[in-house]
Amino acid sequence: MSLGVNSTYDVIVVGGGHNGMVAASYLAKSGKRVLLLEARGNLGGASISYQAFPEFPVHLSRYSYLVSLFPDQIKADLSLNFRTISRKVSSYTPVQQGDEHLGLLVERTPGAATADSFYKLTGSHTEFEKWRDFYGRLEGLAQFLAPTLLEPLRTEVDLKSNFADGALWREIFEQPIGVTVSQYFRDDIVRGVVLTDALVGTFSSVDDLQANICFLYHVIGNGTGEWRVPEGGMGALAKELSRVATNSGVEILLNRRVDAISGGTSGVEVSTSDGEGYFARNLVWAADDRSLARLLGTPERPRRDGSQMKINMLLKQLPELKSGFDPNLAFAGTFHIDESAIQLESAFQLAKAGVLPQVIPAEVYCHSLTDQSIVGETGLHTLTLFAFHTPAELFEENRELNTAKVTERIISGINTYLASPIEDALAYDSQGRACLEVKSPLDLEDELDLPRGNIFHGDLTMPFAQELPAGAWGSETEQANIFLGGASAIRGGGVSGIAGHNAAFAIINKG
Ligand SMILES: Cc1cc2nc3c(=O)[nH]c(=O)nc-3n(C[C@H](O)[C@H](O)[C@H](O)COP(=O)(O)OP(=O)(O)OC[C@H]3O[C@@H](n4cnc5c(N)ncnc54)[C@H](O)[C@@H]3O)c2cc1C
C-alpha cells in the first residue's frame, strides 16, 4: 500500500468518465468532501470530443456519439448547460432488390413519407401499422420505466405487477427479442432495423435474452427512447460536467491511476501509480468493474467481448446514393448497412465460430447535418460508423492485418449503396492521407480500459433485481463502503449518468 496517506475525504471517486463526474458533483453538492482520481490526462472517458485529424479543426465525438439515456432530471439537478438536438429523420436503410436500389425511410415522427416508404418496400400497409403499434406500446413502457432508473432498485415482481401491458412485458422481458420481432414483423429488412437496437455494443444472438436488455436500454431513454445529437459533440457534456464538479468543490487529480485498495469498516485507502495514498469513508468506483475485482482479489463477473468497430471519417461532401434518395436526409439519421435480421444473425454466428464475417452489418451517422458547430467553417462533414459482430477475439492474432481486413469489408459494404465510392467523398490531408480513423475493440481496451473493448464495461443488466435489501440502489458491492458508480453498475451503461447518480444517493442516504 502507499507510503503515507495524503489526505482524508468523505468520498473518493475513481474514474473521471461522465458517470464519475455526475457522482462527484451530487456528493459535493450534498456537502461531502470529494476527491476524484482519473488515470488519464483528461476527463470524460468514452464521452469526449477530439481533433482526430490535425490539419482539420473538427472536434468529433471520438467514441460515444448519441444521447438518449441521460435523464433531464440530472441535467436540472446539476444545472448542466448541455443540449441535445433532434435528428431530422430516425433512420434510412438502403436496399438492393435485384438491379433495383430503393430504401426504407423512418421519419423521427413517422408520417406519410414513412408510410409510403414501407409500402414501396413491403408491398402493403401492414408492416407500418405493426410498427406504429409496437413503438406506441413501447413508449408506454419507456414512460413507466425511465423514472424508476433514478430511484432505489425495485424487484422484477414489483415492477411487473405495476405495469399495465402484461403482454408487452412478456414480449420484452421474457421471450427472446428475436421471437418478439418476428411475431410483429414479416419483412427481413424491417425486422433488422428494429433488431439493431438489441445488438449495439452487445455480442449476442437475438435469441438470447441479453439482446432484450440491450434493446430495452435503446428504447426507454427519458421516457421516449429518442436518440439525439449532443450539441458541440460529446466533449461538450464532459466539459460541462467538469465545470459543475469543480464549482461544487470536487478536487480533481488527473494522471492518477488507482492501483491498490485496502480498508475496513472505518473507510477505504487507495494508492495511485505515483505512490501517493488517499483515505475516505466511502469509495465510488466509476471505472470498469473488472479492474476493481482485480484490485480487491474478488472473482470477475463473466462478460462478453466488445464486438464493435468504430470508424470516424471526415468528408468533403456527402456521397450520392444509388437509390437516388437525398443524402442530406439519408445520413441525418441512422443509415443502416447490411443489417437485415438474417444478415445480423449470420454475422453473429460466423463471428462466434471465430470467422471474420464477409458482410459486416454497420450503421453510419452524419452529426454535422444536425449540429454544424462541430465542423465550424471548414465546410466538411463528419461521418461516424459503428459496425457489429467484430469481437475482440477476432483481432487477437494479427491485429493490424485483421483491422485492415475488417475496415476493407465495411467500406465495401457501404459502397454497395453509393453512386460513387466513399473514398471519393473523404477528405485527405496534405500528405494524401484519408481522414479515417479506426477503433477495434482492442484499441478501445488500450485507450479507455474497456474490458475486452466492451463499451458498457460488461454485459448490461435488467433494470430490476430478483430480491434485494430495502433501499438498495444497484451500486452496492460486497464491501459496505465501496459502490459501483460507472457503467457496470446495475442500470449503468451508455451515456446516462444514472450509475453515477445512484452511487451518490446510495452514499448520501447512508448519512
Ligand atoms: C465506441 C463507443 C461508442 C459508444 N457510443 C455510445 C453512444 O452513442 N451513446 C451512448 O449512450 N453510449 C455509447 N457508448 C457507451 C458509453 O460511452 C459508455 O457506456 C459510457 O461512456 C460509460 O461511462 P462511464 O463514466 O461509466 O465510464 P468511462 O467513460 O469508461 O470512464 C471511465 C473512466 O475511468 C478511468 N479509469 C479507468 N481505470 C482507472 C483507474 N484504475 N484509476 C483511475 N481512473 C481509471 C478511465 O480512464 C475513464 O476516464 C459508446 C462507447 C464506445 C466505446
Side-chain angles (χ1 to χ4, degrees):
M1 205 63 200
S2 58
L3 296 174
V5 169
N6 245 329
S7 226
T8 298
Y9 295 86
D10 294 316
V11 186
I12 293 173
V13 176
V14 179
H18 82 286
N19 269 315
M21 291 190 278
V22 167
S25 300
Y26 272 106
L27 287 160
K29 279 178 181 292
S30 79
K32 310 254 182 239
R33 186 168 179 226
V34 183
L35 173 69
L36 187 152
L37 298 167
E38 163 55 43
R40 296 190 158 71
N42 64 281
L43 294 168
S47 304
I48 57 160
S49 298
Y50 187 77
Q51 185 172 344
F53 309 105
E55 290 181 20
F56 301 94
V58 173
H59 291 83
L60 45 82
S61 298
R62 196 173 209 188
Y63 306 108
S64 58
Y65 47 94
L66 284 175
V67 181
S68 170
L69 288 159
F70 200 93
D72 290 341
Q73 187 188 315
I74 298 183
K75 272 199 257 176
D77 288 350
L78 299 180
S79 306
L80 293 178
N81 184 10
F82 168 66
R83 243 173 43 95
T84 55
I85 314 172
S86 284
R87 301 179 295 168
K88 275 187 233 157
V89 302
S90 176
S91 72
Y92 181 77
T93 306
V95 181
Q96 182 171 9
Q97 285 180 347
D99 288 339
E100 200 189 353
H101 281 271
L102 57 164
L104 179 66
L105 169 73
V106 182
E107 298 158 286
R108 180 157 53 84
T109 308
T114 306
D116 187 48
S117 183
F118 270 81
Y119 186 77
K120 282 192 180 127
L121 182 77
T122 65
S124 90
H125 292 296
T126 313
E127 293 289 86
F128 184 50
E129 280 159 17
K130 291 275 185 189
W131 180 283
R132 289 219 284 216
D133 172 37
F134 185 53
Y135 282 98
R137 291 170 68 200
L138 281 175
E139 211 169 312
L141 180 64
Q143 282 162 10
F144 170 74
L145 274 182
T148 71
L149 301 176
L150 295 178
E151 294 169 354
L153 196 59
R154 288 164 67 176
T155 62
E156 180 175 14
V157 171
D158 172 18
L159 279 179
K160 184 178 173 181
S161 61
N162 280 289
F163 183 59
D165 189 346
L168 185 68
W169 187 276
R170 186 173 43 74
E171 288 163 354
I172 299 301
F173 292 99
E174 295 169 1
Q175 76 176 12
I177 191 70
V179 173
T180 298
V181 168
S182 58
Q183 285 169 347
Y184 274 85
F185 305 103
R186 300 183 65 176
D187 186 89
D188 186 37
I189 301 288
V190 176
R191 286 177 178 174
V193 170
V194 180
L195 286 171
T196 55
D197 277 338
L199 298 170
V200 175
T202 297
F203 188 49
S204 174
S205 162
V206 293
D207 292 329
D208 183 325
L209 282 180
Q210 190 59 40
N212 292 50
I213 306 177
C214 181
F215 183 77
L216 183 72
Y217 283 90
H218 280 87
V219 295
I220 60 170
N222 262 312
T224 66
E226 184 190 352
W227 287 86
R228 296 161 65 101
V229 173
E231 188 176 50
M234 253 333 159
L237 175 62
K239 200 168 155 198
E240 183 59 4
L241 281 169
S242 121
R243 180 189 72 78
V244 169
T246 308
N247 287 352
S248 310
V250 178
E251 288 175 51
I252 298 174
L253 294 177
L254 299 177
N255 299 307
R256 302 294 204 290
R257 177 173 292 278
V258 170
D259 58 10
I261 304 177
S262 66
T265 46
S266 63
V268 187
E269 188 185 339
V270 301
S271 67
T272 46
S273 40
D274 56 356
E276 297 292 336
Y278 305 89
F279 182 85
R281 282 173 55 207
N282 291 293
L283 178 76
V284 172
W285 188 265
D288 67 282
D289 61 328
R290 179 182 67 177
S291 47
L292 177 65
R294 287 181 181 173
L295 293 181
L296 294 176
T298 52
E300 283 176 36
R301 69 168 163 144
R303 79 190 75 228
R304 287 152 210 258
D305 269 12
S307 61
Q308 66 297 311
M309 295 279 283
K310 173 111 191 303
I311 304 182
N312 295 315
M313 294 171 255
L314 288 187
L315 302 184
K316 290 175 292 194
Q317 75 271 334
L318 289 179
E320 297 292 329
L321 298 175
K322 284 184 181 161
S323 67
F325 192 73
D326 179 359
N328 289 294
L329 288 177
F331 291 106
T334 303
F335 184 91
H336 296 282
I337 305 159
D338 297 329
E339 291 186 329
S340 79
I342 291 173
Q343 286 169 319
L344 287 166
E345 190 62 19
S346 112
F348 170 72
Q349 294 300 344
L350 283 169
K352 191 177 149 213
V355 178
L356 218 50
Q358 190 64 42
V359 175
I360 299 178
E363 45 199 53
V364 175
Y365 313 77
C366 177
H367 291 169
S368 45
L369 281 170
T370 305
D371 175 21
Q372 227 211 319
S373 76
I374 56 173
V375 289
E377 302 300 314
T378 61
L380 298 169
H381 275 300
T382 62
L383 206 65
T384 285
L385 185 147
F386 194 90
F388 291 50
H389 298 331
T390 53
E393 191 189 358
L394 297 185
F395 297 88
E396 268 166 348
E397 256 178 54
N398 223 333
R399 179 166 165 178
E400 213 172 305
L401 182 73
N402 284 338
T403 304
K405 235 191 235 177
V406 171
T407 308
E408 201 183 300
R409 288 181 192 181
I410 290 170
I411 296 296
S412 146
I414 188 168
N415 281 343
T416 311
Y417 304 102
L418 303 183
S420 58
I422 189 81
E423 289 88 335
D424 291 354
L426 281 173
Y428 292 83
D429 70 11
S430 56
Q431 307 292 307
R433 288 174 301 217
C435 293
L436 178 146
E437 70 161 15
V438 181
K439 304 287 177 197
S440 75
L442 294 182
D443 297 329
L444 297 177
E445 181 161 38
D446 290 348
E447 293 171 22
L448 296 168
D449 286 300
L450 299 179
R452 305 286 296 162
N454 190 315
I455 68 168
F456 305 125
H457 293 185
D459 295 353
L460 292 169
T461 50
M462 288 290 188
F464 46 67
Q466 295 311 317
E467 54 186 74
L468 71 173
W473 285 85
S475 327
E476 295 77 8
T477 67
E478 280 168 21
Q479 302 218 18
N481 41 23
I482 301 183
F483 297 83
L484 286 175
S488 40
I490 297 176
R491 305 183 287 187
V495 179
S496 76
I498 292 170
H501 169 279
N502 291 350
F505 278 87
I507 292 172
I508 293 166
N509 288 3
K510 263 198 338 173

